[in-house]
Amino acid sequence: MRMLGKYIKLHRKVVVVYFLFALIFTALFAMWKLPVAPVLYGTALGMFAAVIIWFRDYMDFCRKHRELSSLVEEIKITDSHFPRADGLIEHDYQAVLRSIYEDRQQITNQMNYQYRDMMEYYTTWVHQIKTPIAAMRLQLQGEDSERSRELLEELQRIEQYVEMVLTYLRLDSGSTDYVLKNYDLDDIVRQAVRKYASQFIRKRIRLIYGSLSCQVLTDEKWLLFVIEQVLSNALKYTRSGEIEITVEAPKTLCIRDTGIGIAAEDLPRIFEKGFTGYNGRSDKKASGIGLYLCRRICGRLNHKMTVTSEVDVGTEVRIALDRKALEVE
């Protein structure tokens, strides 16, 4: 009935004109005192013929609607499945759509080319910049002083930003290298802890490490990136106290710190790209990209990431790893 109503609305002018002509003929016959019955009879016959014609036209209308509805997705791939054009106007509409489709394809191809070119450049840049970073690390490791340890920490932060650039670009790549299988969570977390061991020692932050002996279905490299980002934030905003890493049933990784916390008004927006909040603005070093990337990666791996926090008390990050079905964009 909904389609019939739309069809009648589309052809309402024809229906109105038909009944208007029938009314005019009836009025003229009545004014000239001619028999009105032939007019009514002719109107009835005309109505019968019109119903048959309209019914066939209505079926064509429904068929064309189904064909055009299917084109909503197909037009993204090809423009060769347009229904037969009935009349000059429909032909003109299809010509306009084909022109738009061709322009869109050209723009898409150009953007894909530029994206591939950008990916190649930044991938090369990442590999090239790792060489001087490694050289500086070797030189700094050769001397044991407070200054060298501070510089090593800053160098580690540079490495983290380099990895963030590559991760940011790879997330929108169609060839993201996910390797989904069961991993030992303890092995993954220990890699992140070892990476930041020197910062724990230098800042005298106590590490409470619970039992993490469980198997999780995930991608080791991408989950490790998320954990490293969370630990980096915890160390950055915890001036003294402790960081606790535990697992809660069924398989939820919890990372708690006793840092400066996050303001209540900032919590709903911490996963937005570029959002730094009050703490980030006061620190002057926050990029507003880390948690955004973490949330996107967890979404790809079908893990749920949540954050609770209280100012001057601390922050807790929870990553639910108990999902069985994985959905990859």
Side-chain angles (χ1 to χ4, degrees):
M1 292 301 294
R2 185 179 178 183
M3 286 294 296
L4 181 60
K6 291 183 177 180
Y7 175 81
I8 293 174
K9 184 178 180 180
L10 183 64
H11 295 85
R12 62 183 180 274
K13 291 182 180 179
V14 177
V15 176
V16 170
V17 169
Y18 177 84
F19 283 106
L20 181 62
F21 284 173
L23 183 63
I24 290 173
F25 275 104
T26 303
L28 287 174
F29 271 61
M31 288 174 59
W32 290 91
K33 297 181 180 180
L34 297 173
V36 180
V39 178
L40 297 177
Y41 183 69
T43 302
L45 288 177
M47 177 60 69
F48 179 74
V51 168
I52 294 175
I53 295 172
W54 286 339
F55 177 77
R56 293 189 61 181
D57 190 60
Y58 172 70
M59 297 304 294
D60 289 338
F61 173 79
C62 293
R63 174 186 56 79
K64 188 169 290 187
H65 172 71
R66 288 192 297 270
E67 292 176 352
L68 290 174
S69 297
S70 66
L71 277 178
V72 173
E73 293 300 325
E74 291 183 11
I75 195 64
K76 299 175 182 178
I77 304 171
T78 178
D79 65 339
S80 60
H81 295 156
F82 279 113
R84 181 177 57 85
D86 293 335
L88 180 62
I89 299 299
E90 286 195 10
H91 183 274
D92 291 340
Y93 275 126
Q94 291 188 10
V96 171
L97 288 174
R98 284 194 172 93
S99 177
I100 294 173
Y101 172 81
E102 291 174 0
D103 288 343
R104 178 180 176 274
Q105 287 298 106
Q106 291 179 2
I107 293 172
T108 301
N109 292 336
Q110 184 179 2
M111 289 180 64
N112 288 338
Y113 172 79
Q114 291 176 347
Y115 179 78
R116 286 194 301 269
D117 187 60
M118 181 179 63
M119 276 294 296
E120 291 175 2
Y121 170 77
Y122 278 107
T123 302
T124 304
W125 176 81
V126 166
H127 290 298
Q128 288 176 338
I129 203 170
K130 283 183 177 180
T131 302
I133 289 175
M136 284 188 287
R137 180 176 293 280
L138 286 173
Q139 292 180 15
L140 290 172
Q141 286 175 343
E143 54 180 286
D144 186 17
S145 64
E146 182 65 22
R147 179 65 175 171
S148 65
R149 287 192 288 270
E150 290 179 1
L151 290 174
L152 278 171
E153 189 174 312
E154 293 300 323
L155 195 62
Q156 187 177 51
R157 186 171 288 114
I158 293 174
E159 288 178 312
Q160 182 182 359
Y161 290 149
V162 169
E163 288 300 323
M164 286 174 64
V165 169
L166 200 57
T167 301
Y168 183 83
L169 293 172
R170 283 176 175 169
L171 271 178
D172 292 320
S173 172
S175 58
T176 305
D177 54 341
Y178 293 107
V179 179
L180 304 172
K181 62 180 183 180
N182 284 312
Y183 293 93
D184 184 36
L185 180 61
D186 187 71
D187 290 342
I188 298 176
V189 177
R190 282 182 183 274
Q191 293 180 56
V193 172
R194 281 195 294 269
K195 181 175 181 178
Y196 293 103
S198 60
Q199 292 191 37
F200 275 99
I201 296 170
R202 197 179 71 81
K203 298 182 71 173
R204 292 184 172 86
I205 302 296
R206 181 187 176 200
L207 174 63
I208 302 175
Y209 196 91
S211 175
L212 307 181
S213 56
C214 65
Q215 295 288 312
V216 293
L217 184 60
T218 187
D219 178 279
E220 181 181 29
K221 184 183 74 173
W222 290 94
L223 180 60
L224 178 59
F225 176 87
V226 173
I227 296 172
E228 287 178 352
Q229 288 294 315
V230 174
L231 273 181
S232 174
N233 286 345
L235 285 164
K236 183 190 298 184
Y237 296 113
T238 302
R239 298 187 178 92
S240 63
E242 62 189 32
I243 294 176
E244 181 181 8
I245 304 175
T246 58
V247 168
E248 294 183 1
K251 293 179 182 180
T252 300
L253 178 64
C254 304
I255 302 176
R256 305 179 185 90
D257 64 59
T258 56
I260 61 177
I262 303 171
E265 60 270 20
D266 290 338
L267 265 177
R269 300 185 59 192
I270 59 174
F271 294 112
E272 294 181 12
K273 182 170 65 174
F275 182 76
T276 57
Y278 175 78
N279 291 338
R281 289 189 294 271
S282 61
D283 183 67
K284 301 294 190 302
K285 297 178 182 178
S287 63
I289 297 295
L291 286 179
Y292 164 76
L293 292 175
C294 289
R295 169 60 70 87
R296 287 197 61 186
I297 291 170
C298 286
R300 297 285 183 91
L301 298 175
N302 206 23
H303 303 326
K304 185 178 181 182
M305 182 177 184
T306 56
V307 176
T308 56
S309 184
E310 187 176 345
V311 175
D312 296 329
V313 175
T315 301
E316 179 183 33
V317 178
R318 301 170 64 87
I319 306 174
L321 304 169
D322 58 324
R323 305 302 178 89
K324 295 181 179 180
L326 295 177
E327 297 175 0
V328 181
E329 292 183 10

